[in-house]
């Protein structure tokens, strides 16, 4: 009976654990679906608001919702297609606003990270389970959106939707699960051959190599941000330079305020794309404005097919000038950023030479950072462009591989030499400082930076009572000088042994208590504090705030105790006076024996009759 009960208890516990795991997987699946719904709902609200405020809408509410679904797919990198055109041929729309991509990426990342947070009463999911369930729920909604948008004015390219939608979802959820797990760096996968794993562990997967790779990744990310920041600066300067053309294009696209607001939102979403185009312009390859025109710092070649848009109105035209050539400063700054982020770890300030990386390791890390930065720049350039139609509008934006090669040349060609030079300069500066600090200084206590005074007797702010200085010598020379001084003192005393050296109070920063509380010293301290306060302290004498304690009254010796004549005191014993403990020991001159008490002779009996009287 007991065995049956234990077995039923075990089965019930196992079934409860399975139910808890199923509930956790279901909740994670719903998180993915909710993340997709939130992104879709945000775009739907925005599009419906534009449709409601538009005075002349082209379609009904169903058409507006399908446009919102198409924009949601475009945010995942899916190329859209316009089936109804004037030529009758479908026209692709592949320029993805990079700022719009941040919405689904952040939602998926956050959902996967929250799915791995522990909840009371539910088992903890694994990272693989969280990625699978989040991606499944998200892609389920994505498939429904693709089907719903197929009947609208903008449809999704089937092959692009089947490739890019799962890719963006899985990568974002994987990054979120890795972040929710504490960003662990696990071992190499077991499916790799043993020889390959052993070689990787000794080279790429070693702790030192992984640290250098992390430094290179940070340097690459900083370089890409520098390129994008410099590109955004170039875009802003060009918009200000071509402000009239940009304003004219903005007013021609829409006449009512709702349409202008929509154009403004689209322009803001395309600002990262414009920054990537400008970065490619500064790197040298430039970007394409259709199949027949290319814009570089040397000038524009061909005839561009420019649609009316404010950002495209800021494109430089004509031949290149020194002002256009100044855009090359953007990749130079990015290369310096690579070098700086490498050297700040390879040869950090305030460190000894032994802690710095070798010249070869510093150069290789900077080169790796430049290569990774070039790879990221090429990917961003490829994502920032795309087609806007057919024929002449089939190519817009920078060429990814060409931009990546140019970035590799700039980042590695500038980053490696600058990193080597900064490392050499820091180590040289550190060596010079060490030589100067180790050199003995004679005649000055503390030097210029020590805060002490020179041999001339100058008063310093923190020790105004010290007006003389003792020459500082090296430790060995100081010991030898003390020995010689002790020998000379011994000879001067006329003894064979050296006399004890007299302590020099001026060689110590902390003076004895008597010198500290001396009236002259106290007045000097207060005067120095008053000078340092800038006139904020009032004039008052340097005396204690409390009155001095009264002097103790002199204590007189107490009377010696009387000794009763009970026969216990022996004759001839000397009595020593009792001295008060507070008065201290009595001097030796006063320690004299007191006269012994004489016996009382009693009344005078008069002359003895038997004795003859003597008459004077």
């Amino acid at each position: 009976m007991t065995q049956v009960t234990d077995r039923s208890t075990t089965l019930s516990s196992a079934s409860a654990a399975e139910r808890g795991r199923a509930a956790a997987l279901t909740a994670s699946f719903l998180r993915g679906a909710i993340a997709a719904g939130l992104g879709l709902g945000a775009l739907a609200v925005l599009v419906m608001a534009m449709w409601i405020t538009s005075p002349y809408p082209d379609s009904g509410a169903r058409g507006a919702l399908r446009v919102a679904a198409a924009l949601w797919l475009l945010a995942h990198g899916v190329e859209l297609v316009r089936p109804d055109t004037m030529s009758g041929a479908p026209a692709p729309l592949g320029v993805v606003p990079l700022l719009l991509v941040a919405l689904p990426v952040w939602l998926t990342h956050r959902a996967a990270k929250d799915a791995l947070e522990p909840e009371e009463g539910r088992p903890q999911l694994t990272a693989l389970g969280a990625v699978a369930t989040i991606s499944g729920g998200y892609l389920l909604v994505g498939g429904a959106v693709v089907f719903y948008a197929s009947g609208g004015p903008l449809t999704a390219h089937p092959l692009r939707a089947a490739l890019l939608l799962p890719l963006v979802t899985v990568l974002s959820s994987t990054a979120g699960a890795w972040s929710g797990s504490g960003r662990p760096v696990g071992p190499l996968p077991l499916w790799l051959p043993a020889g390959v794993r052993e070689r990787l562990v000794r080279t790429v997967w070693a702790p030192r190599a992984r640290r250098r790779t992390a430094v290179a990744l940070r340097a690459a990310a900083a370089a890409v941000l520098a390129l994008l920041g410099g590109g955004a600066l170039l875009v802003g300067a060009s918009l200000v330079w071509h402000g009239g053309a940009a304003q004219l294009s903005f007013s021609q696209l829409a006449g009512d305020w709702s349409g202008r607001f929509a154009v403004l939102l689209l322009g803001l979403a395309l600002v990262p794309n414009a920054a990537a185009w400008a970065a490619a312009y500064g790197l040298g390859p430039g970007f394409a404005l259709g199949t027949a025109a290319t814009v570089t710092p040397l000038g524009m070649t061909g005839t561009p097919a420019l649609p009316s848009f404010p950002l495209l109105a800021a494109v430089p035209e004509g031949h290149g000038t020194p002002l256009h050539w100044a855009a090359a400063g953007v990749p130079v700054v990015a290369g310096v950023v690579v070098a700086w982020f490498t050297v700040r770890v390879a040869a950090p300030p305030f460190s000894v030479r032994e802690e710095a990386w070798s010249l070869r390791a510093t150069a290789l890390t900077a080169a790796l950072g430049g290569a990774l930065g070039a790879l990221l720049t090429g990917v961003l350039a490829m994502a920032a462009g795309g087609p806007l139609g057919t024929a002449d509008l089939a190519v817009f934006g920078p060429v990814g591989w060409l931009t990546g090669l140019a970035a590799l040349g700039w980042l590695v060609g500038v980053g490696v030499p600058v990193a080597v030079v900064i490392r050499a300069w820091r180590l040289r500066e550190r060596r010079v400082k060490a030589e100067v600090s180790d050199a003995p200084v004679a005649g000055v206590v503390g030097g210029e930076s020590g805060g002490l005074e020179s041999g001339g007797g100058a008063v310093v702010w923190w020790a105004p009572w010290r007006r003389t200085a003792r020459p500082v010598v090296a430790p060995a020379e100081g010991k030898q000088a003390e020995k010689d001084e002790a020998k000379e003192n011994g000879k001067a005393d006329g003894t064979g042994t050296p006399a004890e050296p007299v302590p020099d109070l001026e060689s110590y920063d902390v003076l004895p208590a008597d010198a500290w509380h001396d009236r002259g010293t106290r007045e000097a301290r207060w005067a120095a504090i008053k000078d340092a306060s800038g006139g904020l302290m009032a004039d008052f004498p340097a005396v204690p705030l409390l009155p001095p304690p009264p002097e103790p009254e002199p204590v007189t010796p107490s009377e010696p105790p009387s000794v009763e004549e009970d026969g216990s005191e022996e004759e001839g014993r000397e009595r020593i006076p009792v001295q008060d403990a507070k008065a201290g020991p009595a001097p030796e001159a006063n320690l004299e024996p007191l006269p012994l008490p004489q016996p009382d002779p009693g009344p005078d009996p008069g002359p003895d009759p038997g004795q003859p009287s003597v008459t004077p």
Side-chain angles (χ1 to χ4, degrees):
M1 186 65 182
T2 305
Q3 295 178 356
V4 175
T5 305
D6 295 341
R7 184 176 181 182
S8 61
T9 303
T10 304
L11 291 176
S12 61
S13 301
S15 60
E18 290 295 332
R19 289 195 300 270
R21 179 173 178 78
L25 292 175
T26 304
S28 180
F29 185 86
L30 291 177
R31 285 179 186 273
I34 291 173
L38 287 175
L40 182 61
L43 293 177
V45 168
L46 184 61
V47 172
M48 290 302 295
M50 295 293 102
W51 176 78
I52 292 173
T53 57
S54 177
Y56 307 105
D58 295 336
S59 60
R62 181 177 297 179
L65 290 177
R66 287 180 174 174
V67 170
L71 290 178
W72 185 80
L73 293 174
L74 183 65
H76 294 79
V78 178
E79 183 180 303
L80 301 179
V81 178
R82 292 180 296 164
D84 298 332
T85 60
M86 297 180 62
S87 61
L93 179 61
V95 178
V96 180
L98 295 181
L99 192 61
L100 197 61
V101 178
L103 178 63
V105 169
W106 178 77
L107 288 173
T108 313
H109 180 278
R110 187 65 184 178
K113 186 177 181 180
D114 293 342
L116 291 177
E117 291 184 358
E119 296 183 5
E120 186 177 357
R122 289 185 181 180
Q124 180 70 23
L125 287 179
T126 61
L128 182 60
V131 171
T133 52
I134 292 292
S135 301
Y138 197 94
L139 292 177
L140 180 64
V141 177
V145 171
V146 172
F147 178 76
Y148 181 76
S150 60
L154 295 173
T155 61
H157 193 282
L159 184 59
R160 294 291 184 90
L163 291 178
L164 294 178
L165 187 60
L167 179 63
V168 173
T169 303
V170 172
L171 290 179
S172 303
S173 58
T174 301
W178 180 66
S179 178
S181 303
R183 300 180 179 88
V185 181
L188 293 173
L190 298 178
W191 50 266
L192 289 175
V196 175
R197 289 203 308 271
E198 182 180 357
R199 187 172 183 84
L200 290 177
V201 167
R202 291 182 178 179
T203 57
V204 180
W205 212 250
R208 182 177 300 178
R210 291 195 314 198
R211 183 189 178 193
R212 294 174 181 173
T213 304
V215 173
L217 284 173
R218 286 194 292 268
V224 173
L225 290 178
L227 285 174
L228 292 179
L233 184 62
L234 293 178
V235 171
S238 183
L239 279 175
V240 172
W241 189 264
H242 302 85
Q247 184 179 2
L248 180 61
S249 174
F250 186 78
S251 60
Q252 289 177 352
L253 284 176
D256 56 296
W257 67 270
S258 60
R260 292 180 179 179
F261 183 68
V263 173
L264 179 61
L265 290 180
L266 181 59
L268 291 177
L270 288 172
V271 165
N273 299 64
W277 289 26
Y281 178 84
L283 287 169
F287 50 88
L289 294 178
T291 57
T294 304
V295 181
T296 63
L298 300 178
M300 179 185 293
T301 60
T303 302
L306 288 177
S308 179
F309 195 73
L311 289 178
L312 294 177
V315 174
E317 299 178 355
H319 296 284
T321 61
L323 187 62
H324 298 90
W325 303 338
V330 173
V332 172
V333 172
V336 174
V337 168
V338 170
W340 178 261
F341 273 80
T342 303
V343 178
R344 67 191 292 264
V345 181
F350 311 111
S351 63
V352 296
R353 177 183 289 271
E354 289 75 14
E355 295 179 356
W357 292 3
S358 63
L359 180 63
R360 179 174 178 273
T362 303
L364 288 178
T365 305
L368 180 60
L372 294 176
L375 179 62
L376 293 177
T377 304
V379 171
L380 283 176
M382 186 182 301
L388 287 179
T390 57
D392 291 342
L393 299 178
V395 179
F396 261 84
V399 182
W401 66 270
L402 195 58
T403 305
L405 287 180
L408 179 64
W410 279 104
L411 297 181
V412 176
V414 175
V416 173
V418 173
V420 171
V421 170
I422 294 177
R423 176 188 175 275
W425 177 256
R426 283 188 173 180
L427 296 182
R428 170 186 175 275
E429 186 179 13
R430 193 173 302 127
R431 182 176 65 251
V432 170
K433 287 183 178 179
E435 291 177 355
V436 172
S437 61
D438 293 341
V441 182
V444 178
V445 178
E448 296 181 358
S449 61
L452 300 182
E453 67 274 9
S454 63
V459 179
V460 293
W461 66 272
W462 64 270
W465 57 90
R466 299 187 59 187
R467 297 181 179 274
T468 57
R470 186 177 182 180
V472 177
V473 295
E477 297 177 359
K479 293 181 180 179
Q480 186 64 31
E482 291 180 0
K483 292 180 180 180
D484 297 341
E485 184 179 359
K487 291 181 179 179
E488 293 179 0
N489 292 337
K491 294 178 180 180
D493 295 341
T495 59
T497 59
E500 296 182 359
V502 179
D504 187 5
L505 299 181
E506 295 297 334
S507 61
Y508 297 96
D509 292 339
V510 180
L511 298 180
D514 296 339
W516 179 268
H517 295 289
D518 184 65
R519 181 177 181 83
T521 305
R522 200 163 54 239
E523 291 178 355
R525 283 201 309 272
W526 280 110
I529 295 174
K530 179 183 176 182
D531 294 339
S533 65
L536 297 178
M537 293 184 60
D539 294 332
F540 54 87
V543 296
L545 297 179
L546 298 178
E551 297 182 359
E553 298 180 358
V555 180
T556 57
S558 60
E559 297 293 337
S562 61
V563 180
E564 298 181 358
E565 298 179 359
D566 53 355
S568 61
E569 192 71 27
E570 299 180 359
E571 293 185 358
R573 176 175 295 179
E574 298 180 353
R575 294 190 178 184
I576 302 176
V578 179
Q579 182 74 18
D580 191 358
K582 298 182 180 181
E588 297 182 358
N590 296 333
L591 297 179
E592 297 180 359
L594 298 178
L596 295 176
Q598 299 295 329
D600 191 6
D604 190 8
D608 190 1
Q611 294 292 337
S613 60
V614 179
T615 303

